[in-house]
Amino acid sequence: MSAEASAGRMTAVSAPAPVSQSAYQDTEEHASHGLLGSKYVKLNVGGSLHYTTVQTLSKEDSLLRSMCNGRTEVTIDSEGWVVLDRCGRHFGLVLNFLRDGSVPLPEDHRELDEVLKEAQYYRVQGLIQHCLTAMQKQKDVYESVCRIPMITSAKEEQRMIASCRKPVVKLQNNRGNNKYSYTSNSDDNLLKNIELFDKLGLRFNGRVLFVKDVLGDEICCWSFYGEGRKIAEVCCTSIVYATEKKQTKVEFPEARIFEETLNILIYENGRGSGPGGLALLDSRGSGSSPGAGQSEEEGAGGGDRRVRRIHVRRHIMHDERGHGQQTVYKD
């Protein structure tokens, strides 16, 4: 009797073993055949739960398709969830791309890069190309935006110009720094100078650093720097001398400003340091005419290079004086 009871107890203990082995074999068989026998799939991606179909996961030749057809082993928990050891933050976006063929991407560059990393892991080529195209568009937009530093102190200006490897164009604009009233066209010309500064900033963005100075002494003055030193200056203000009162006049020497901007490109990538650049600047300085303004060159003699200073001529136009008043010219 004791032997039979012992045998019965052994049978009872050993009975669950075949069930456990069968369940293990079923799991192995399920993993080897993937998810082909299922229509719907439950996915647990880093704790983020998703419910989709095998048809959706198999739309592109990706890691998800290989999981469905058995080429890649899958891990299924006791509740039937396919467990993926990835962050599930952007997995819904991956599924939506497989469903629709396109999906809105985040505008933030960091999030877009995260989506790209997930697309590369799951080998969804369509989404990878979609992300790369969006990144290129963001890069093009970023490069088309010209960022203009605003000078707040003289030390900041010196440090910025000395450390910049690009040519520098500075517009000093301080309309409030005026003792006298403005002539009739001064406001329009001041606005034209500012508009030209913006146009040049966009045109030569990436090649020339454009900065604004609203704390200087000049009302409207352009300065051009190369290799950390001032190369040229165009002052656009003058004093109008009249019999009764003085007025401040703002000029708009557009051609001269544009010319000096082109000249400063000689110092791009250090090209102005060579003998060819110096010769070109010397020939330009000697051959150009001051036009409507006065051109001065300041600096020590010998081998020191000078600064071209162009000032508009101080004068009064005939149409700026009343009838019968004498026109006075003073330089």
Side-chain angles (χ1 to χ4, degrees):
M1 294 295 292
S2 61
E4 292 178 359
S6 176
R9 286 195 297 270
M10 292 178 61
T11 303
V13 172
S14 61
V19 177
S20 177
Q21 184 177 3
S22 176
Y24 178 76
Q25 290 175 352
D26 291 342
T27 305
E28 286 285 328
E29 183 178 357
H30 197 179
S32 62
H33 292 286
L35 306 174
L36 291 177
S38 305
K39 183 178 180 180
Y40 299 98
V41 184
K42 300 188 298 181
L43 298 169
N44 183 350
V45 187
S48 178
L49 305 180
H50 302 270
Y51 195 68
T52 184
T53 63
V54 173
Q55 181 181 4
T56 298
L57 297 179
S58 303
K59 282 190 175 181
E60 285 202 17
D61 186 12
S62 63
L63 175 64
L64 299 173
R65 176 189 284 184
S66 66
M67 291 167 53
C68 294
N69 58 28
R71 289 185 296 173
T72 300
E73 293 185 0
V74 295
T75 302
I76 303 176
D77 64 10
S78 59
E79 298 181 0
W81 291 89
V82 178
V83 180
L84 298 178
D85 187 18
R86 296 289 294 181
C87 177
R89 180 181 180 185
H90 301 294
F91 188 76
L93 190 146
V94 176
L95 285 181
N96 288 334
F97 180 83
L98 293 175
R99 291 171 181 138
D100 304 330
S102 63
V103 68
L105 295 175
E107 296 182 358
D108 183 74
H109 182 76
R110 181 175 180 179
E111 291 188 8
L112 183 58
D113 186 64
E114 292 176 357
V115 174
L116 176 61
K117 292 295 190 298
E118 294 302 308
Q120 291 172 341
Y121 174 79
Y122 295 112
R123 301 199 295 269
V124 183
Q125 296 299 325
L127 183 56
I128 293 174
Q129 187 60 40
H130 192 29
C131 291
L132 293 176
T133 302
M135 286 183 171
Q136 184 61 41
K137 289 182 180 179
Q138 287 185 352
K139 183 179 179 182
D140 295 340
V141 171
Y142 178 80
E143 291 180 350
S144 64
V145 175
C146 181
R147 302 180 182 274
I148 305 297
M150 189 73 69
I151 299 298
T152 58
S153 66
K155 291 183 178 180
E156 180 186 10
E157 175 185 347
Q158 295 173 0
R159 183 172 60 254
M160 183 181 300
I161 294 174
S163 61
C164 184
R165 298 183 178 180
K166 301 176 184 177
V168 179
V169 174
K170 183 189 74 171
L171 173 61
Q172 188 174 125
N173 178 25
N174 189 356
R175 190 182 185 280
N177 188 26
N178 182 30
K179 300 179 180 179
Y180 316 109
S181 61
Y182 288 95
T183 59
S184 58
N185 296 327
S186 292
D187 288 336
D188 291 338
N189 288 335
L190 186 61
L191 181 60
K192 289 178 181 179
N193 278 278
I194 298 175
E195 291 176 347
L196 178 61
F197 179 85
D198 294 338
K199 291 179 181 179
L200 294 176
L202 291 175
R203 178 166 184 175
F204 297 102
N205 183 30
R207 301 179 63 185
V208 178
L209 176 63
F210 288 84
V211 297
K212 280 187 178 181
D213 182 3
V214 295
L215 302 176
D217 297 331
E218 294 290 344
I219 298 174
C220 184
C221 183
W222 295 73
S223 300
F224 304 86
Y225 299 84
E227 299 178 350
R229 66 181 189 87
K230 182 181 287 189
I231 305 300
E233 180 182 275
V234 178
C235 184
C236 303
T237 56
S238 60
I239 302 298
V240 174
Y241 290 85
T243 55
E244 299 177 356
K245 61 180 180 179
K246 297 179 181 179
Q247 286 183 310
T248 299
K249 183 174 184 179
V250 179
E251 298 282 0
F252 179 52
E254 180 179 9
R256 195 57 183 266
I257 295 171
F258 192 79
E259 179 186 3
E260 294 297 341
T261 304
L262 294 178
N263 290 335
I264 208 68
L265 293 177
I266 298 175
Y267 293 89
E268 186 179 17
N269 299 324
R271 291 180 296 180
S273 300
L278 293 177
L280 183 59
L281 284 177
D282 292 341
S283 62
R284 180 246 166 260
S286 60
S288 61
S289 60
Q294 293 178 331
S295 179
E296 302 175 3
E297 293 191 359
E298 298 182 1
D304 292 340
R305 287 168 285 183
R306 299 178 178 179
V307 178
R308 292 189 305 277
R309 300 187 185 274
I310 299 93
H311 299 271
V312 294
R313 184 180 298 276
R314 296 178 175 179
H315 65 283
I316 296 178
M317 299 297 293
H318 290 277
D319 56 356
E320 293 179 346
R321 296 187 53 81
H323 179 71
Q325 295 183 349
Q326 183 181 2
T327 302
V328 179
Y329 295 91
K330 185 174 183 179
D331 292 336

